[in-house]
Amino acid sequence: MKNYSSNKKLFLGLLICEIILSYMKNELNEIVKDLPSKPEIMGSRNLQISAVLVPFIRINDEYQLLFEKRADHIRQGSEISFPGGGFEAEYDTNFQDTAIRETCEELGIEPENIRVYKPFETVVVPHGKIIYSFKGEIDSAVLDSMKPNHEVQYAFTVPLKCFLENEPEIYQARSQIFSFKIDSYGNEKILFPAEELGIPNKYQKAWGKRLYPIYVYRVQNEVIWGITGQIIFELMQKLRKAI
């Protein structure tokens, strides 16, 4: 009787385990099918994430784009950009919040002065940045009362037709990945031990020779290029198709 009871308990235990494993397997199958529930950019957690507003402003019945000339003392000083900046989880629930917050801070305007239309292109920069862009409109009534902060030398507008009617100059730059870095004393420090790992020789120094385009617009004695130039180029491509 004792053996029978023990065997029965063992059988019930194994049955329960089998049921649990079967349930977990089915659950895992569903999770795998649904993963990810929302596609994202892989590796984005390791990159610098920013968001910008592509601000349209209507002046005298003509649409223009608004730009900033960055202050000399900040990162990428004296360059032309759209308003925007880095995502801050403390203040932003999403990237659109980032674009609006940064625009308001930099231009000295209020959120109610901005109407966001919809997300535009996401730019993945070869040297480790992701920039989410949003199309929107700034109320022209605040143009004269804008008070740019210390990060901005000045703001200015360019008629949309200037970009529609003129193609940019297109140059190229090359992006490479290095398995080492040189410190301030000129010493080489290995970051990725390819030789030690037995990985092919070509990965032991630098690899990748991909060229990527740089779009340059010369307007109003300013040179607009880089990420801003790339966004303008893509925007013009889509506008021409839609017109």
Side-chain angles (χ1 to χ4, degrees), residues 69-235:
K69 177 97 168 183
R70 297 169 67 86
D72 291 333
H73 65 275
I74 66 171
R75 182 172 53 86
Q76 296 175 316
S78 299
E79 294 186 16
I80 306 300
S81 69
F82 289 123
F87 174 82
E88 297 184 29
E90 181 180 355
Y91 305 109
D92 308 326
T93 56
N94 53 52
F95 301 125
Q96 180 172 308
D97 284 352
T98 304
I100 294 173
R101 176 181 56 77
E102 288 284 347
T103 299
C104 291
E105 290 176 5
E106 292 172 1
L107 297 179
I109 61 177
E110 299 298 325
E112 53 265 31
N113 301 136
I114 302 171
R115 294 187 297 278
V116 177
Y117 296 146
K118 60 172 63 175
F120 187 51
E121 302 285 350
T122 298
V123 184
V124 180
V125 185
H127 49 271
K129 295 181 180 179
I130 296 177
I131 295 90
Y132 293 90
S133 64
F134 296 85
K135 291 182 296 181
E137 184 171 349
I138 291 178
D139 187 348
S140 61
V142 303
L143 189 60
D144 294 330
S145 61
M146 286 182 182
K147 295 180 180 180
N149 69 5
H150 66 283
E151 297 179 0
V152 180
Q153 286 190 46
Y154 53 82
F156 64 97
T157 63
V158 178
L160 195 62
K161 67 179 181 181
C162 288
F163 298 109
L164 282 169
E165 296 173 357
N166 297 282
E167 293 291 344
E169 301 167 36
I170 303 177
Y171 301 95
Q172 290 184 322
R174 189 174 77 174
S175 178
Q176 283 188 293
I177 300 173
F178 289 84
S179 62
F180 65 94
K181 72 174 183 178
I182 305 297
D183 65 21
S184 57
Y185 299 101
N187 300 313
E188 182 180 293
K189 179 181 178 182
I190 300 298
L191 301 173
F192 176 58
E195 183 177 6
E196 178 185 326
L197 294 169
I199 291 173
N201 292 340
K202 67 178 181 179
Y203 300 110
Q204 293 178 18
K205 288 295 181 181
W207 70 91
K209 298 180 180 180
R210 184 172 182 82
L211 297 175
Y212 63 95
I214 297 178
Y215 303 99
V216 176
Y217 293 90
R218 300 176 190 262
V219 292
Q220 300 178 187
N221 296 317
E222 303 283 5
V223 176
I224 303 174
W225 67 289
I227 295 166
T228 307
Q230 186 174 352
I231 293 173
I232 294 171
F233 178 79
E234 296 298 336
L235 178 62

